[in-house]
Amino acid sequence: MNARWRGSTLKQWLAVSLALLPLILAMPAAAAVAAPPGIPAFTVHNGGAGQSYTLTIQLLALMTAITLLPAALLMMSAFTRIIIVLSILRQAIGAGQSPPNQVLVGLALFLTLFVMSPVIDKVRTDAVTPYMAGSIDTGAALERGVAPLKTFMLGQTRESDIAAFVRMSGGNGFSTPQEVPLTILAPAFVTSELKTAFQIGFLLFIPFVIIDLVVASVLMSMGMMMLSPVLISLPFKLMLFVLVDGWTLVMGSLASSFFH
């Protein structure tokens, strides 16, 4: 993954995020037409006269969307599964805070960009570029932009999780998967991602637990019960992980798990 590819993909991700802002704000802006013009913010006095400034509903919605949009995009992408698996892997190795949290988050972000690059390209081609050119309106751009993301989420979400949230919402189901709204698909997707991440983490934990058991058994048979098994098993776990090229295997397996 070279610097030019990362830079272009990051720019596409930011372009998608910025393009989705006006699309998301379309509904609040339309609802604010019949509302008061704004919320009084402050008044500036210049001599005897005073000028009052208000905070418009659309600007308030924009500030709220900027706050919530990054978290929503992360929870509706591959980031959740990747960061959980990497955190479990670090705990299984038992190396404390190595790699540190900043490194794990950075790895998860760049691997997320790698996995989501087809979705980002399709959103940019189908929604962002036509909307910036003025060939489609906000509603059509929003519909086109959400469609590739929903397709990705549906491919990673279990039907049982979707059915569970449909029952909780009191619905009767949907004829096609594309009819599932984001209000149901998003929590079902996150639930499925959590389950998948812990399943992968369980498989990663097994070889390291076996090493701990073997080292503990050997130390106990030698009568070295006062010596911590962690001090002996940690070098062996690190050596095993490096010899099998563990980081490449884990990152490759995580990426391929989204394209099954």
Side-chain angles (χ1 to χ4, degrees):
M1 187 183 298
N2 54 38
R4 181 178 300 177
W5 185 91
R6 289 182 295 182
S8 61
T9 308
L10 185 58
K11 290 179 181 178
Q12 294 176 7
W13 184 269
L14 294 176
V16 171
S17 302
L18 294 176
L20 287 178
L21 282 176
L23 306 182
I24 295 175
L25 294 177
M27 292 182 291
V33 172
I39 302 173
F42 58 90
T43 303
V44 177
H45 295 278
N46 186 9
Q51 178 67 39
S52 298
Y53 295 89
T54 60
L55 180 65
T56 62
I57 302 299
Q58 187 173 3
L59 181 59
L60 183 62
L62 174 63
M63 296 168 61
T64 305
I66 291 176
T67 305
L68 299 178
L69 187 60
L73 288 177
L74 289 179
M75 296 300 292
M76 296 166 64
S77 66
F79 181 81
T80 302
R81 181 190 305 185
I82 295 172
I83 191 62
I84 291 178
V85 171
L86 293 179
S87 300
I88 293 177
L89 175 62
R90 181 178 66 179
Q91 185 176 359
I93 295 176
Q97 292 297 317
S98 295
N101 293 330
Q102 294 86 345
V103 175
L104 289 185
V105 173
L107 284 173
L109 283 175
F110 281 114
L111 190 57
T112 300
L113 290 176
F114 174 79
V115 173
M116 300 296 295
S117 58
V119 179
I120 296 174
D121 292 337
K122 190 165 183 59
V123 171
R124 177 177 55 84
T125 303
D126 296 346
V128 177
T129 301
Y131 178 76
M132 293 299 182
S135 58
I136 58 176
D137 58 5
T138 303
L142 178 61
E143 184 177 354
R144 292 186 184 183
V146 171
L149 185 60
K150 287 184 64 176
T151 302
F152 170 80
M153 295 170 65
L154 286 169
Q156 308 299 325
T157 307
R158 296 174 175 82
E159 294 183 2
S160 58
D161 294 328
I162 297 178
F165 281 95
V166 170
R167 289 194 303 269
M168 285 187 281
S169 65
N172 297 322
F174 302 93
S175 57
T176 61
Q178 293 296 332
E179 295 181 2
V180 180
L182 283 176
T183 54
I184 293 178
L185 181 58
F189 170 77
V190 174
T191 303
S192 292
E193 287 295 283
L194 290 174
K195 183 177 181 179
T196 303
F198 278 98
Q199 288 176 343
I200 298 175
F202 171 76
L203 296 177
L204 288 175
F205 234 110
I206 292 178
F208 297 106
V209 171
I210 293 177
I211 294 176
D212 288 334
L213 290 176
V214 171
V215 170
S217 300
V218 171
L219 291 179
M220 185 172 295
S221 63
M222 296 175 63
M224 299 181 180
M225 291 177 289
M226 300 299 294
L227 182 61
S228 175
V230 177
L231 297 176
I232 307 301
S233 63
L234 179 57
F236 287 99
K237 290 189 288 186
L238 292 177
M239 181 181 63
L240 174 65
F241 194 69
V242 172
L243 288 177
V244 299
D245 200 5
W247 286 112
T248 302
L249 291 176
V250 171
M251 302 291 277
S253 300
L254 276 175
S256 61
S257 67
F258 291 95
F259 301 105
H260 56 78

